[in-house]
Amino acid sequence: MVRGFGEDGPHPVDRHVGRRVAEKRVSLGYNQSDLGRALGLTFQQVQKYEKGSNRISASKLWDIARFFKVDVSYFFEGLVARSGMAENDGEEFDHDHPSTRHSIEIGRLAPRLTTHQQRLVLEVMRDMTSKGEDARP
C-alpha cells in the first residue's frame, strides 16, 4: 500500500495540499519536470505529491513554498480543521474533479469580469454540466 492511502484512497489533507501545489505550479507556468528539477525530484514524484498518493514531508513542503515564493500556509488555505478529522467522521472534501490548466485559468480570469458577466458565465457552465449529467447512463 502506498503511504498516504486509507481505505478510500489518499487522506483528504494530502489531496488538498497536493491540489494546492498543482494549482500554484500551473498558475506560475511550471510543469512537473520544472518543479521536480528545482526540488531534486522526478516529475513522477511531483505527480504523486499532487495526487496526494505520496505525502509531502514538512521539509519538502517548505522547499516547495520557497520555490513558489509563498508561505507554507498557502497550501492549507481552504482546508477547514475540525475535531475528529483524523477519524474521517465528517464530510469529505470534494476532490473528485482535479484542477486542469483550463479550470485554473477560468478561476484566474473570472475576477476580471463584471458581476453580471460572472453570473452569465456561471449560468452557461451550470447549463453545460447539467446537460452532461443528463446524457450519462
Side-chain angles (χ1 to χ4, degrees), residues 70-125:
V70 296
D71 191 77
V72 173
S73 63
Y74 167 85
F75 302 106
F76 297 94
E77 288 174 6
L79 186 66
V80 178
R82 57 183 193 273
S83 63
M85 181 177 245
E87 290 82 23
N88 264 345
D89 64 352
E91 187 177 321
E92 287 291 318
F93 299 101
D94 181 14
H95 290 283
D96 292 335
H97 309 286
S99 297
T100 65
R101 289 186 182 276
H102 299 105
S103 65
I104 292 169
E105 186 172 2
I106 289 168
R108 193 175 71 238
L109 293 174
R112 296 182 189 173
L113 301 173
T114 66
T115 303
H116 176 70
Q117 290 170 324
Q118 289 177 14
R119 267 187 251 133
L120 292 173
V121 169
L122 182 58
E123 286 178 29
V124 169
M125 291 175 74

